[in-house]
Amino acid sequence: MKVTMLGSISSVVLLFVLLFSATDNSKVKADVDPLLPTCKTVGGGSMYAGIDFCMAALGSDKRSRGAESYRSLSIIAVDLLTANVTSTATKIDGLLQKGGDATTIKCLQPCQALYREIVKRRPGCAAAVKNGSFKEAQAELQKSAAAAKECDSGFRNGHVTSPVAVEDDNAFKLAKLADGLLDHAT
Ligand SMILES: *[C@@H]1O[C@H](CO)[C@@H](O)[C@H](O)[C@H]1NC(C)=O
Ligand SMILES: *[C@@H]1O[C@H](CO)[C@@H](O)[C@H](O)[C@H]1NC(C)=O
């Protein structure tokens, strides 16, 4: 009698466990972004990009939906960086043409050269990712991140508000994200 009761109690418990884990699983599947594990791996340990930035940036490109490998996601990050720095270079050209506050102009001039350099390095970097020369691509990405930082530092040192602060931050983070993805690429 005792044994059967224990048996039926444990069956009920087991049934509940099964029911709840089943609902939990389907909930997790529906709610979790497929980019989350990758972004946790790459952005979680990185003080640069961060998980939210990784998810938003990669998620903004519809190619990332079908992309699972670190390599294909790094190609997307490199492309996003290219789009970003190309438009930033154009913005800087426009700002310099327009003229304005002397200190701002003085800080912006080196940024023009820095961004032109970053833009020039983009095709080589993308080619290096595609042909598997990850170390070469990463070296380029690190240079790009450093250049964006350098542009921003010029304004900080000059104590003027940068008109490209957001752009510097995006370029820095995208370069770090692509670099981080390539750490795991095969
Ligand atoms: C630059 O990158 C950021 C972050 O991914 C994005 O929100 C922004 O739209 C991009 N801008 C351009 C011009 O590509
Ligand atoms: C890959 O492409 C990069 C950039 O164009 C080039 O410098 C490198 O030599 C290439 N490597 C191989 C193995 O093809």
Side-chain angles (χ1 to χ4, degrees):
M1 178 65 186
K2 251 188 182 158
V3 174
T4 18
M5 235 177 72
L6 267 181
S8 46
I9 287 173
S10 47
S11 309
V12 168
V13 169
L14 186 66
L15 186 66
F16 268 95
V17 168
L18 284 176
L19 270 176
F20 277 101
S21 57
T23 34
D24 262 353
N25 268 343
S26 51
K27 194 161 178 278
V28 165
K29 274 200 189 103
D31 288 354
V32 166
D33 190 310
L35 289 169
L36 186 60
T38 305
C39 286
K40 269 189 175 162
T41 305
V42 177
S46 162
M47 56 183 169
Y48 306 114
I51 298 173
D52 291 343
F53 181 84
C54 171
M55 305 263 291
L58 295 179
S60 74
D61 191 310
K62 43 179 192 302
R63 284 177 299 164
S64 70
R65 255 163 258 165
E68 247 109 65
S69 74
Y70 284 103
R71 185 173 181 167
S72 45
L73 289 170
S74 71
I75 290 172
I76 293 170
V78 166
D79 286 350
L80 289 170
L81 177 63
T82 302
N84 255 267
V85 295
T86 305
S87 87
T88 306
T90 307
K91 178 175 174 176
I92 293 174
D93 289 347
L95 286 169
L96 285 175
Q97 250 164 33
K98 212 167 68 184
D101 169 63
T103 320
T104 306
I105 295 295
K106 205 172 149 236
C107 295
L108 202 53
Q109 267 154 357
C111 293
Q112 184 177 45
L114 287 165
Y115 271 90
R116 282 183 178 169
E117 268 307 304
I118 307 178
V119 170
K120 221 163 54 181
R121 277 199 300 267
R122 293 302 80 222
C125 181
V129 175
K130 283 173 188 147
N131 74 11
S133 306
F134 299 150
K135 288 273 173 292
E136 187 184 326
Q138 285 181 300
E140 304 234 286
L141 290 163
Q142 280 151 24
K143 276 188 207 158
S144 298
K149 257 270 120 78
E150 196 181 328
C151 170
D152 197 55
S153 302
F155 285 96
R156 283 176 199 280
N157 297 338
H159 304 289
V160 276
T161 307
S162 169
V164 289
V166 174
E167 287 84 351
D168 280 339
D169 189 51
N170 278 333
F172 180 80
K173 285 179 178 159
L174 284 171
K176 288 289 183 186
L177 176 60
D179 184 18
L181 286 163
L182 285 172
D183 275 340
H184 300 274
T186 48

